Amino acid sequence: MPGNKKKKISKAERLRQLQEEEERRQKEEEEARLKYEKEEMEKLEIKRIEREKWRQLEAKDLERRNEELEELYLLERCFPEAEKLKRETRLLSQWKHYIQCDGSPDPSVSQEINTFISLWKEETNETFEEVIGKSKLVLNLIDKLKLILLETPPYDLQDKIVTQYQGSILELQELLHCKFNTATEILLRQASTLADLDSGNMEKVIQDENITLYVWANLKKNPRYRSVRFSETQIGFEIPRILATSDIALRLLHTHYDHVTPLRPVPTSLQEHTSTITNLVRDEEKNLEAAISKEMQEECKQEENESNSVHEEEIKVEDQGETEVKMSSVQEEPEVTKCELEMKLISETVLAAQLLLLENAHEKPSDLDDNEVDLCQFTTLGGVYHLDILELPPQCKPMKGWMVVEILKEGLQKYIYPPETTEDFETEYSFPPIEVTLEVHENVIFFEDPMVARWDAEGKHWKTDGISNVSYKSEERLITFNLETFGPVTLIQDSHINMPYQSWELRPLDVNKVLLSVTTIFAEIQIQIKENLCMLASIKVNNKKHSSILEGRWMTPVSFITALKEAGLNIFPTRHSHFYVIINYKVPLTEMKAYRQMALLSSAFAFGWSRWNMLCDSKKVVFKVREHLRKEEPIEDPNWALLMFSGDRAQRLKIDEYSDTFSEALKEETEFHSTLYHMVKDFASEEAMEKIRSSNDQFIDSVGHMLLLTRVLSYS
């Protein structure tokens, strides 16, 4: 049919359509090219403007850098001022002890402590109760000496003083343990008179805040009496038949302190480093004094020549008056300059000491024996359990109204188990490990089941061999294990179990008072800091409130840190910690500057952990900051600003904590600054800046010290 036939397109028409399509395609391509070029030009222009703006900001920052650093230097004088106060306090300590007149020796004076030791050695036949009474003073003296060594900066400690103090500590520790042994012997001589009516054996428990003594004397030698339990508790031993039939006594002396682990040496590298700086500044001081002295001599010589050249009496007197005025002004000048140099000396040594707190060791301790406990990785907690099998001494016997006792010249003797040779024993006897059940100290927190270590007297270190079948009941706080040979044992925990931290926050509470919160995988620890004191505010373990005897007790920072570590709450990395924990390494100088300046601002600004700190390079740190002047509880989602700091430059970032990617882009309408102080000054209120300027020197120093020791920027 004609109507259904398609109309044929002519060749010319087809060519025309193709030409139009080609023209349209070319036009679209040209438009796309022009659009692309325009966009690229706009991007280049934006980048050019940004680069120009960046150069202008850098130039502006460079222009005011010296002024800002000078202002920061004046603000950071609080650190040397605080160190001066601490030095004065240390110097006054002897005088304070003298005016107390309590009869106790000053442990820092060798003559007094040596006299005390000699006199106590001469005292004999002291009962256990009497030794416990004296032990309070001895432990106090040991703690004082340890505190002096910890609180005194290494650059102020002389080698002979360190040797003297550590020698006194060791002598007091050895003498105290010797006294406990003698008192145990006196107690065991009376075992027959103290025997239990039911079992016929002697059992004695003596408890004190610092020690707990459990003693059992085998008087009946009943081979079926193999389970020794003290005072209806589960604490005790399961003994083999050979011991059940021997003249022996079992002693468990739990000292809540550790006098077995060797004292840590004072780091000599720190002394050498800081002494170099000290010598440089002292040389500068001597050179300045020599220059001033020379200037004074020249002034005097000049005035003398002038006075000799004038013969009139009136003019001569007038010249002498001028000389006196000039001399007094020259004398005043060296006093001021000398004071400035003293502050510079203290400032440099404090800086060096703070920087070395953040430097990591280059080598991991490697000279360890098999099964030896690495004390850089593990910490002893809850004191030491001295487990002893003792030979029962001769018993007191009544005779004609007297009590007669044979006193052995060699004193208290240990029963060797297992014996060195088994030839003298019948083959039916075996010497299996002894099952021991101990109670874990109530004031210590174990976040995982504790490990047991025994003291190796020959190697002078803790070891984990010779111990088997360890089981721990956390609710009852009882640990049971089998021990091949008796001796001192202790419980150990990984020192870094709470590292790295999950988050942290530093928040003002009041005038010269802040709260530092550190959240770990197991716990949330809150520390209050005011002036030169610290306190454990609260602790949560596995999101549950946990009570601690440290709560509410204000202590100096050094004492507080020691107490937290002894309680198992270790959030203080050492120079070896990076070998055992994956850390977010930051350059020590950058980290130190950040902590010092955060401490300066801590009275009016809150700081917090940022996830972007992991993504910036090691020369920079990123953290949250916001002004916080009120005492109310923190807002759930506060308006934080993100700051990035390299030690020499601070900037406010455009991104926030919830951005998708990390960027170092600068926030609009903000500038670079050389310090954190001047950075926050751009958006801070006048009230906040006034609080910062009026902060207490010791408070700033304490906050800085706590930040330096927790290292929240590299261990979070």
Side-chain angles (χ1 to χ4, degrees), residues 646-664:
S646 66
D648 298 317
R649 174 180 290 168
Q651 67 185 77
R652 188 170 176 179
L653 297 179
K654 186 177 182 179
I655 60 170
D656 60 27
E657 198 64 16
Y658 307 103
S659 299
D660 294 329
T661 56
F662 177 69
S663 169
E664 294 187 5

Side-chain angles (χ1 to χ4, degrees), residues 13-29:
E13 185 69 20
R14 187 179 289 119
L15 286 172
R16 187 182 63 76
Q17 287 179 356
L18 289 172
Q19 188 176 355
E20 286 176 358
E21 286 178 5
E22 179 64 22
E23 286 174 359
R24 188 166 58 251
R25 186 183 62 78
Q26 288 179 358
K27 185 180 179 182
E28 287 174 355
E29 285 181 356

Side-chain angles (χ1 to χ4, degrees), residues 348-499:
E348 291 291 334
T349 49
V350 167
L351 264 172
Q354 289 178 340
L355 186 59
L356 281 167
L357 285 173
L358 302 175
E359 288 191 355
N360 296 326
H362 299 298
E363 293 182 1
K364 185 179 179 180
S366 56
D367 54 342
L368 299 175
D369 293 344
D370 292 340
N371 302 305
E372 180 182 346
V373 175
D374 182 359
L375 291 177
C376 291
Q377 183 179 3
F378 295 96
T379 304
T380 64
L381 290 177
V384 175
Y385 302 85
H386 297 267
L387 303 175
D388 297 295
I389 307 174
L390 305 169
E391 292 183 1
L392 202 57
Q395 296 299 294
C396 295
K397 296 177 182 177
M399 187 176 291
K400 296 181 180 179
W402 294 82
M403 292 298 289
V404 179
V405 63
E406 180 187 354
I407 298 176
L408 301 176
K409 187 178 180 181
E410 56 271 16
L412 195 64
Q413 295 295 301
K414 289 188 178 181
Y415 182 94
I416 306 301
Y417 179 90
E420 295 173 358
T421 174
T422 59
E423 292 177 1
D424 299 334
F425 294 90
E426 298 176 13
T427 54
E428 64 186 73
Y429 287 110
S430 61
F431 305 95
I434 298 172
E435 184 183 289
V436 181
T437 301
L438 303 175
E439 185 178 30
V440 177
H441 196 292
E442 61 181 354
N443 296 329
V444 174
I445 299 175
F446 283 95
F447 296 98
E448 291 179 345
D449 289 357
M451 293 178 282
V452 185
R454 66 172 185 86
W455 179 248
D456 181 1
E458 287 185 14
K460 302 291 182 186
H461 49 235
W462 295 104
K463 298 187 77 173
T464 54
D465 60 344
I467 300 162
S468 58
N469 299 335
V470 180
S471 65
Y472 179 56
K473 297 178 181 177
S474 56
E475 293 295 325
E476 295 91 341
R477 300 184 68 83
L478 293 172
I479 188 164
T480 302
F481 54 91
N482 289 349
L483 192 63
E484 291 180 6
T485 57
F486 268 35
V489 299
T490 190
L491 306 180
I492 58 175
Q493 179 170 258
D494 189 342
S495 304
H496 311 96
I497 197 165
N498 282 307
M499 301 177 205

